[in-house]
mmCIF file of all heavy atoms in Angstrom:
data_model
loop_
_atom_site.group_PDB
_atom_site.id
_atom_site.type_symbol
_atom_site.label_atom_id
_atom_site.label_comp_id
_atom_site.label_asym_id
_atom_site.label_seq_id
_atom_site.Cartn_x
_atom_site.Cartn_y
_atom_site.Cartn_z
ATOM 1 N N GLY A 59 -21.704 -33.295 -7.665
ATOM 2 C CA GLY A 59 -20.341 -32.835 -8.068
ATOM 3 C C GLY A 59 -19.281 -33.553 -7.253
ATOM 4 O O GLY A 59 -19.587 -34.568 -6.586
ATOM 5 N N CYS A 60 -18.074 -33.144 -7.305
ATOM 6 C CA CYS A 60 -16.954 -33.715 -6.593
ATOM 7 C C CYS A 60 -17.223 -33.802 -5.136
ATOM 8 O O CYS A 60 -17.674 -32.799 -4.550
ATOM 9 C CB CYS A 60 -15.668 -32.930 -6.834
ATOM 10 S SG CYS A 60 -14.192 -33.767 -6.095
ATOM 11 N N GLN A 61 -17.110 -35.016 -4.569
ATOM 12 C CA GLN A 61 -17.367 -35.230 -3.157
ATOM 13 C C GLN A 61 -16.183 -34.987 -2.263
ATOM 14 O O GLN A 61 -16.346 -35.160 -1.036
ATOM 15 C CB GLN A 61 -17.932 -36.615 -2.963
ATOM 16 C CG GLN A 61 -19.277 -36.800 -3.591
ATOM 17 C CD GLN A 61 -19.729 -38.316 -3.304
ATOM 18 O OE1 GLN A 61 -19.623 -39.091 -4.242
ATOM 19 N NE2 GLN A 61 -20.247 -38.523 -2.127
ATOM 20 N N VAL A 62 -15.108 -34.448 -2.708
ATOM 21 C CA VAL A 62 -13.937 -34.100 -1.831
ATOM 22 C C VAL A 62 -14.255 -32.814 -1.151
ATOM 23 O O VAL A 62 -14.701 -31.814 -1.835
ATOM 24 C CB VAL A 62 -12.655 -34.083 -2.662
ATOM 25 C CG1 VAL A 62 -11.495 -33.580 -1.815
ATOM 26 C CG2 VAL A 62 -12.303 -35.420 -3.214
ATOM 27 N N ASP A 63 -14.129 -32.820 0.182
ATOM 28 C CA ASP A 63 -14.472 -31.650 0.996
ATOM 29 C C ASP A 63 -13.779 -30.364 0.432
ATOM 30 O O ASP A 63 -12.591 -30.404 0.202
ATOM 31 C CB ASP A 63 -14.054 -31.873 2.421
ATOM 32 C CG ASP A 63 -14.662 -30.862 3.358
ATOM 33 O OD1 ASP A 63 -15.836 -30.506 3.175
ATOM 34 O OD2 ASP A 63 -13.915 -30.427 4.293
ATOM 35 N N GLY A 64 -14.543 -29.330 0.161
ATOM 36 C CA GLY A 64 -13.978 -28.069 -0.287
ATOM 37 C C GLY A 64 -13.848 -27.939 -1.756
ATOM 38 O O GLY A 64 -13.609 -26.856 -2.280
ATOM 39 N N CYS A 65 -14.137 -28.987 -2.509
ATOM 40 C CA CYS A 65 -14.064 -28.915 -3.980
ATOM 41 C C CYS A 65 -15.372 -28.628 -4.527
ATOM 42 O O CYS A 65 -16.401 -29.207 -4.082
ATOM 43 C CB CYS A 65 -13.545 -30.235 -4.543
ATOM 44 S SG CYS A 65 -13.313 -30.200 -6.363
ATOM 45 N N ASP A 66 -15.438 -27.707 -5.519
ATOM 46 C CA ASP A 66 -16.774 -27.299 -6.069
ATOM 47 C C ASP A 66 -16.842 -27.687 -7.584
ATOM 48 O O ASP A 66 -17.648 -27.079 -8.309
ATOM 49 C CB ASP A 66 -17.018 -25.849 -5.897
ATOM 50 C CG ASP A 66 -15.963 -24.950 -6.596
ATOM 51 O OD1 ASP A 66 -14.946 -25.449 -7.141
ATOM 52 O OD2 ASP A 66 -16.130 -23.658 -6.487
ATOM 53 N N ALA A 67 -16.051 -28.687 -8.009
ATOM 54 C CA ALA A 67 -16.138 -29.112 -9.415
ATOM 55 C C ALA A 67 -17.501 -29.628 -9.687
ATOM 56 O O ALA A 67 -18.030 -30.488 -8.941
ATOM 57 C CB ALA A 67 -15.125 -30.233 -9.645
ATOM 58 N N PRO A 68 -18.117 -29.182 -10.775
ATOM 59 C CA PRO A 68 -19.453 -29.651 -11.189
ATOM 60 C C PRO A 68 -19.474 -31.087 -11.718
ATOM 61 O O PRO A 68 -18.431 -31.575 -12.040
ATOM 62 C CB PRO A 68 -19.921 -28.578 -12.216
ATOM 63 C CG PRO A 68 -18.646 -28.212 -12.826
ATOM 64 C CD PRO A 68 -17.592 -28.216 -11.749
ATOM 65 N N PRO A 69 -20.684 -31.657 -11.825
ATOM 66 C CA PRO A 69 -20.713 -33.084 -12.263
ATOM 67 C C PRO A 69 -20.030 -33.287 -13.683
ATOM 68 O O PRO A 69 -19.464 -34.348 -13.852
ATOM 69 C CB PRO A 69 -22.247 -33.334 -12.352
ATOM 70 C CG PRO A 69 -22.825 -32.378 -11.399
ATOM 71 C CD PRO A 69 -21.914 -31.177 -11.429
ATOM 72 N N GLY A 70 -20.127 -32.309 -14.555
ATOM 73 C CA GLY A 70 -19.518 -32.438 -15.823
ATOM 74 C C GLY A 70 -18.038 -32.595 -15.917
ATOM 75 O O GLY A 70 -17.439 -33.051 -16.889
ATOM 76 N N LEU A 71 -17.377 -32.328 -14.759
ATOM 77 C CA LEU A 71 -15.908 -32.405 -14.603
ATOM 78 C C LEU A 71 -15.520 -33.539 -13.701
ATOM 79 O O LEU A 71 -14.377 -33.529 -13.204
ATOM 80 C CB LEU A 71 -15.299 -31.078 -14.156
ATOM 81 C CG LEU A 71 -15.540 -29.877 -15.103
ATOM 82 C CD1 LEU A 71 -14.974 -28.569 -14.456
ATOM 83 C CD2 LEU A 71 -14.878 -30.113 -16.430
ATOM 84 N N THR A 72 -16.398 -34.499 -13.489
ATOM 85 C CA THR A 72 -16.123 -35.562 -12.487
ATOM 86 C C THR A 72 -16.075 -36.920 -13.176
ATOM 87 O O THR A 72 -16.557 -37.096 -14.277
ATOM 88 C CB THR A 72 -17.136 -35.603 -11.454
ATOM 89 O OG1 THR A 72 -18.444 -35.898 -11.932
ATOM 90 C CG2 THR A 72 -17.212 -34.279 -10.610
ATOM 91 N N HIS A 73 -15.489 -37.842 -12.420
ATOM 92 C CA HIS A 73 -15.474 -39.218 -12.733
ATOM 93 C C HIS A 73 -16.101 -40.043 -11.673
ATOM 94 O O HIS A 73 -16.263 -39.525 -10.497
ATOM 95 C CB HIS A 73 -14.010 -39.731 -12.881
ATOM 96 C CG HIS A 73 -13.121 -38.951 -13.728
ATOM 97 N ND1 HIS A 73 -11.739 -38.772 -13.440
ATOM 98 C CD2 HIS A 73 -13.346 -38.148 -14.767
ATOM 99 C CE1 HIS A 73 -11.213 -37.972 -14.343
ATOM 100 N NE2 HIS A 73 -12.186 -37.604 -15.205
ATOM 101 N N LEU A 74 -16.502 -41.254 -11.971
ATOM 102 C CA LEU A 74 -16.967 -42.151 -10.868
ATOM 103 C C LEU A 74 -15.806 -43.015 -10.401
ATOM 104 O O LEU A 74 -15.087 -43.538 -11.277
ATOM 105 C CB LEU A 74 -18.149 -43.011 -11.401
ATOM 106 C CG LEU A 74 -19.400 -42.226 -11.718
ATOM 107 C CD1 LEU A 74 -20.517 -43.125 -12.097
ATOM 108 C CD2 LEU A 74 -19.829 -41.313 -10.618
ATOM 109 N N HIS A 75 -15.584 -43.079 -9.195
ATOM 110 C CA HIS A 75 -14.391 -43.762 -8.600
ATOM 111 C C HIS A 75 -14.888 -44.891 -7.658
ATOM 112 O O HIS A 75 -15.792 -44.637 -6.817
ATOM 113 C CB HIS A 75 -13.522 -42.749 -7.866
ATOM 114 C CG HIS A 75 -12.418 -43.334 -7.153
ATOM 115 N ND1 HIS A 75 -11.269 -43.870 -7.721
ATOM 116 C CD2 HIS A 75 -12.211 -43.514 -5.762
ATOM 117 C CE1 HIS A 75 -10.410 -44.341 -6.769
ATOM 118 N NE2 HIS A 75 -11.010 -44.089 -5.583
ATOM 119 N N HIS A 76 -14.293 -46.075 -7.701
ATOM 120 C CA HIS A 76 -14.555 -47.105 -6.790
ATOM 121 C C HIS A 76 -13.889 -46.829 -5.417
ATOM 122 O O HIS A 76 -12.681 -46.610 -5.456
ATOM 123 C CB HIS A 76 -14.033 -48.463 -7.318
ATOM 124 C CG HIS A 76 -14.681 -49.000 -8.486
ATOM 125 N ND1 HIS A 76 -14.353 -48.652 -9.728
ATOM 126 C CD2 HIS A 76 -15.766 -49.904 -8.562
ATOM 127 C CE1 HIS A 76 -15.129 -49.300 -10.620
ATOM 128 N NE2 HIS A 76 -15.922 -50.015 -9.975
ATOM 129 N N LYS A 77 -14.638 -46.804 -4.305
ATOM 130 C CA LYS A 77 -13.978 -46.542 -3.002
ATOM 131 C C LYS A 77 -13.047 -47.807 -2.763
ATOM 132 O O LYS A 77 -11.859 -47.487 -2.380
ATOM 133 C CB LYS A 77 -15.038 -46.549 -1.920
ATOM 134 C CG LYS A 77 -15.974 -45.383 -2.013
ATOM 135 C CD LYS A 77 -16.932 -45.506 -0.800
ATOM 136 C CE LYS A 77 -18.227 -44.729 -1.022
ATOM 137 N NZ LYS A 77 -19.247 -44.986 0.051
ATOM 138 N N ILE A 78 -13.477 -48.979 -2.931
ATOM 139 C CA ILE A 78 -12.586 -50.172 -2.901
ATOM 140 C C ILE A 78 -12.291 -50.449 -4.346
ATOM 141 O O ILE A 78 -13.307 -50.776 -5.109
ATOM 142 C CB ILE A 78 -13.259 -51.335 -2.223
ATOM 143 C CG1 ILE A 78 -13.585 -50.973 -0.756
ATOM 144 C CG2 ILE A 78 -12.415 -52.561 -2.261
ATOM 145 C CD1 ILE A 78 -14.475 -52.042 -0.097
ATOM 146 N N GLU A 79 -11.074 -50.366 -4.809
ATOM 147 C CA GLU A 79 -10.770 -50.489 -6.205
ATOM 148 C C GLU A 79 -11.332 -51.873 -6.775
ATOM 149 O O GLU A 79 -11.312 -52.884 -6.083
ATOM 150 C CB GLU A 79 -9.218 -50.520 -6.400
ATOM 151 C CG GLU A 79 -8.604 -49.223 -6.079
ATOM 152 C CD GLU A 79 -7.088 -49.199 -6.267
ATOM 153 O OE1 GLU A 79 -6.572 -49.823 -7.265
ATOM 154 O OE2 GLU A 79 -6.366 -48.586 -5.478
ATOM 155 N N TRP A 80 -11.740 -51.710 -8.022
ATOM 156 C CA TRP A 80 -12.303 -52.896 -8.702
ATOM 157 C C TRP A 80 -11.253 -54.007 -8.696
ATOM 158 O O TRP A 80 -11.557 -55.226 -8.541
ATOM 159 C CB TRP A 80 -12.716 -52.542 -10.077
ATOM 160 C CG TRP A 80 -13.595 -53.559 -10.757
ATOM 161 C CD1 TRP A 80 -14.976 -53.762 -10.607
ATOM 162 C CD2 TRP A 80 -13.181 -54.625 -11.634
ATOM 163 N NE1 TRP A 80 -15.350 -54.820 -11.349
ATOM 164 C CE2 TRP A 80 -14.282 -55.342 -12.029
ATOM 165 C CE3 TRP A 80 -11.922 -54.933 -12.106
ATOM 166 C CZ2 TRP A 80 -14.192 -56.490 -12.845
ATOM 167 C CZ3 TRP A 80 -11.884 -55.964 -13.005
ATOM 168 C CH2 TRP A 80 -13.003 -56.786 -13.343
ATOM 169 N N SER A 81 -9.987 -53.653 -8.941
ATOM 170 C CA SER A 81 -8.943 -54.643 -9.009
ATOM 171 C C SER A 81 -8.644 -55.368 -7.714
ATOM 172 O O SER A 81 -8.087 -56.465 -7.706
ATOM 173 C CB SER A 81 -7.580 -54.032 -9.500
ATOM 174 O OG SER A 81 -7.190 -53.091 -8.623
ATOM 175 N N LEU A 82 -9.209 -54.787 -6.621
ATOM 176 C CA LEU A 82 -9.002 -55.366 -5.248
ATOM 177 C C LEU A 82 -10.288 -55.995 -4.770
ATOM 178 O O LEU A 82 -10.449 -56.270 -3.650
ATOM 179 C CB LEU A 82 -8.512 -54.324 -4.269
ATOM 180 C CG LEU A 82 -7.185 -53.699 -4.599
ATOM 181 C CD1 LEU A 82 -6.877 -52.553 -3.587
ATOM 182 C CD2 LEU A 82 -6.119 -54.755 -4.628
ATOM 183 N N GLY A 83 -11.301 -56.185 -5.739
ATOM 184 C CA GLY A 83 -12.545 -56.887 -5.302
ATOM 185 C C GLY A 83 -13.656 -55.929 -5.114
ATOM 186 O O GLY A 83 -14.784 -56.346 -4.746
ATOM 187 N N GLY A 84 -13.455 -54.598 -5.307
ATOM 188 C CA GLY A 84 -14.587 -53.643 -5.191
ATOM 189 C C GLY A 84 -15.657 -53.853 -6.167
ATOM 190 O O GLY A 84 -15.418 -54.250 -7.379
ATOM 191 N N ARG A 85 -16.912 -53.608 -5.813
ATOM 192 C CA ARG A 85 -18.092 -53.802 -6.616
ATOM 193 C C ARG A 85 -18.365 -52.488 -7.406
ATOM 194 O O ARG A 85 -18.086 -51.405 -6.912
ATOM 195 C CB ARG A 85 -19.309 -54.122 -5.751
ATOM 196 C CG ARG A 85 -19.130 -55.480 -5.024
ATOM 197 C CD ARG A 85 -20.204 -55.714 -4.050
ATOM 198 N NE ARG A 85 -21.577 -55.554 -4.587
ATOM 199 C CZ ARG A 85 -22.328 -56.517 -5.172
ATOM 200 N NH1 ARG A 85 -21.743 -57.736 -5.232
ATOM 201 N NH2 ARG A 85 -23.452 -56.295 -5.606
ATOM 202 N N THR A 86 -18.990 -52.699 -8.567
ATOM 203 C CA THR A 86 -19.466 -51.526 -9.369
ATOM 204 C C THR A 86 -20.877 -51.277 -8.986
ATOM 205 O O THR A 86 -21.806 -51.596 -9.763
ATOM 206 C CB THR A 86 -19.229 -51.866 -10.863
ATOM 207 O OG1 THR A 86 -17.908 -52.191 -11.135
ATOM 208 C CG2 THR A 86 -19.605 -50.630 -11.719
#
Side-chain angles (χ1 to χ4, degrees):
C60 183
Q61 290 181 262
V62 173
D63 192 42
C65 185
D66 61 357
L71 297 178
T72 62
H73 309 149
L74 295 183
H75 173 73
H76 291 87
K77 293 179 204 174
I78 299 171
E79 293 181 41
W80 192 85
S81 62
L82 298 176
R85 296 171 51 89
T86 304

